[in-house]
Amino acid sequence: MCKIKNGFSSFMEKEINEIPEVISRVKQEYKTKDMSEVRAIIQAAPFVHIAACGTAYHVGLMMSRYLEEIGKRSKVYIASEVATSPPLITQDDISVVITQSGETGDTLNALEHFKKQGLKTIAICNVDESTIARSVDFNLSTFAGPEISIASTKAYCAQVLVAEILVKGMPDADCRAIEVISKSPEIKKKAKRFKNIKRILFLGKGEDYVTSLESALKVKEITYLHCEGFATGELWHGPLSLLDSKTLCIVYGDCKKSIDTVAEVIVRNANIWHVSGDYHPIEKIIHAQLFALYLSQEKGLDTDKPRNLVKSVVG
Ligand code: F6R
């Protein structure tokens, strides 16, 4: 396992900077991979049950959106809920589990549940030798390489890309990960500016809603700030009461659609950072990962080893 930071301030920074290379590797590997059998199984299935935890759960939400785009029904479960609130399963449904480590106890339990119900199983997993990768019918590797920082960055991006390739095929556009990473100095300045902020709300619609959830998880993990992700329209149904001068709202999405939100935030003296532009979810999350990293460093925290967290929750 590579334990060298290569001149980066932390493993998290190193791993974010590896994302462009990971994206190229995933595309290269899947260009020649025969996906016909696994795609045929998805095509034939009436329903896809997806289970995962934390960051990987957010990949599941993204995958479910991709499935919807191709007209396939699916539901995403928090893995720890599967055994206690068993999903309604019908014959020929299939299951997908998503995991960086391949050893997460809750995800393994969900997988066992699906297997007991007789479902075919697919994993999107970063560790080919792991328990989960070895126990499914189809394992789709994510080629992200070892991730040492507790907060997942490059593995999330690789998982989203593999889910997209599996469901919708190879993306046409080149990933602009390098362009986003080159904005690091600007993002660092924002982190300095918002160093003493009390809470952060991420808002977005559609894919941007999923990115909001993952952004909030990333920032809360390593800065210990209260952060939440919302679908933009939900702002009016409760979270509005949180807005004050100590709140930062990071709003994803195009300006026209989010104009009411922006106005609402400004009128309540909350701080706003509008991340607009036609960016792919992978490009947008890199932005949030970098912000989380620099905010954590501004606070003098150990970015790679946040308190109370471990890399793989096996128990
Ligand atoms: C957050 C993070 C966790 C994991 C979760 C599942 O940065 O890494 O939320 O995604 O604990 O772990 P895996 O993906 O190993 O199943």
Side-chain angles (χ1 to χ4, degrees):
M1 184 185 288
C2 173
K3 293 226 167 187
I4 301 164
K5 290 186 207 164
N6 280 353
F8 288 103
S9 62
S10 61
F11 281 108
M12 185 176 176
E13 188 175 38
K14 172 177 178 274
E15 287 158 11
I16 295 171
N17 277 271
E18 285 169 359
I19 293 169
E21 176 191 322
V22 170
I23 302 291
S24 305
R25 192 156 59 232
V26 171
K27 285 185 170 172
Q28 197 57 40
E29 293 285 343
Y30 279 91
K31 213 183 264 174
T32 50
K33 197 173 165 70
D34 181 8
M35 308 273 278
S36 51
E37 196 180 352
V38 64
R39 284 198 179 115
I41 283 166
I42 294 178
Q43 273 307 330
F47 201 93
V48 183
H49 300 271
I50 305 170
C53 305
T55 284
Y57 170 77
H58 298 148
V59 179
L61 295 176
M62 204 63 93
M63 182 173 183
S64 177
R65 294 194 57 84
Y66 295 151
L67 287 163
E68 198 154 11
E69 280 177 41
I70 64 157
K72 182 65 51 189
R73 289 177 202 283
S74 65
K75 187 166 174 189
V76 194
Y77 310 94
I78 292 172
S80 57
E81 291 287 302
V82 170
T84 45
S85 308
L88 191 60
I89 287 173
T90 51
Q91 216 192 341
D92 301 326
D93 288 354
I94 58 161
S95 63
V96 178
V97 288
I98 303 167
T99 169
Q100 185 277 130
S101 62
E103 302 295 347
T104 302
D106 288 328
T107 310
L108 194 52
N109 290 342
L111 176 64
E112 290 309 322
H113 181 90
F114 292 141
K115 283 166 99 174
K116 273 194 203 130
Q117 305 290 313
L119 299 192
K120 281 239 161 25
T121 53
I122 299 169
I124 295 178
C125 181
N126 196 37
V127 184
D128 291 345
E129 311 73 38
S130 64
T131 312
I132 290 178
R134 286 185 288 109
S135 358
V136 288
D137 297 310
F138 297 92
N139 179 47
L140 299 173
S141 308
T142 43
F143 303 104
E147 206 179 46
I148 294 166
S149 159
I150 287 193
S152 181
T153 54
K154 60 178 181 171
Y156 174 81
C157 294
Q159 287 166 334
V160 169
L161 182 57
V162 170
E164 183 177 350
I165 293 170
L166 171 66
V167 177
K168 301 202 301 178
M170 193 63 72
D172 297 330
D174 283 341
C175 181
R176 292 165 297 176
I178 294 176
E179 185 189 314
V180 182
I181 292 171
S182 74
K183 293 186 178 153
S184 292
E186 267 167 64
I187 300 172
K188 209 179 238 176
K189 268 194 211 149
K190 290 272 190 189
K192 211 178 195 61
R193 175 170 161 208
F194 292 119
K195 182 181 164 184
N196 296 317
I197 211 79
K198 287 282 174 289
R199 70 184 73 81
I200 304 180
L201 310 183
F202 289 88
L203 300 158
K205 289 174 83 67
E207 284 179 357
D208 285 343
Y209 165 51
V210 180
T211 301
S212 295
L213 295 176
E214 174 57 12
S215 302
L217 179 61
K218 212 71 345 177
V219 180
K220 80 171 71 136
E221 262 187 293
I222 60 169
T223 68
Y224 316 151
L225 269 181
H226 175 210
C227 301
E228 284 189 68
F230 294 105
T232 308
E234 281 295 283
L235 185 65
W236 285 264
H237 303 284
L240 208 50
S241 67
L242 293 171
L243 298 190
D244 62 13
S245 61
K246 297 198 171 67
T247 306
L248 169 63
C249 289
I250 299 187
V251 182
Y252 292 114
D254 93 47
C255 237
K256 273 193 212 122
K257 282 190 196 149
S258 41
I259 201 96
D260 293 350
T261 317
V262 172
E264 209 60 59
V265 170
I266 292 170
V267 93
R268 282 172 172 78
N269 291 326
N271 302 276
I272 187 147
W273 183 3
H274 192 199
V275 182
S276 58
D278 184 22
Y279 285 107
H280 186 279
I282 292 178
E283 295 155 359
K284 282 191 181 147
I285 200 62
I286 295 173
H287 191 273
Q289 292 169 349
L290 285 167
F291 181 59
L293 167 79
Y294 296 132
L295 198 56
S296 167
Q297 289 180 341
E298 280 294 330
K299 288 172 174 291
L301 300 171
D302 184 342
T303 304
D304 288 338
K305 289 193 203 127
R307 68 185 179 201
N308 308 333
L309 299 179
V310 289
K311 187 68 184 157
S312 184
V313 187
V314 291

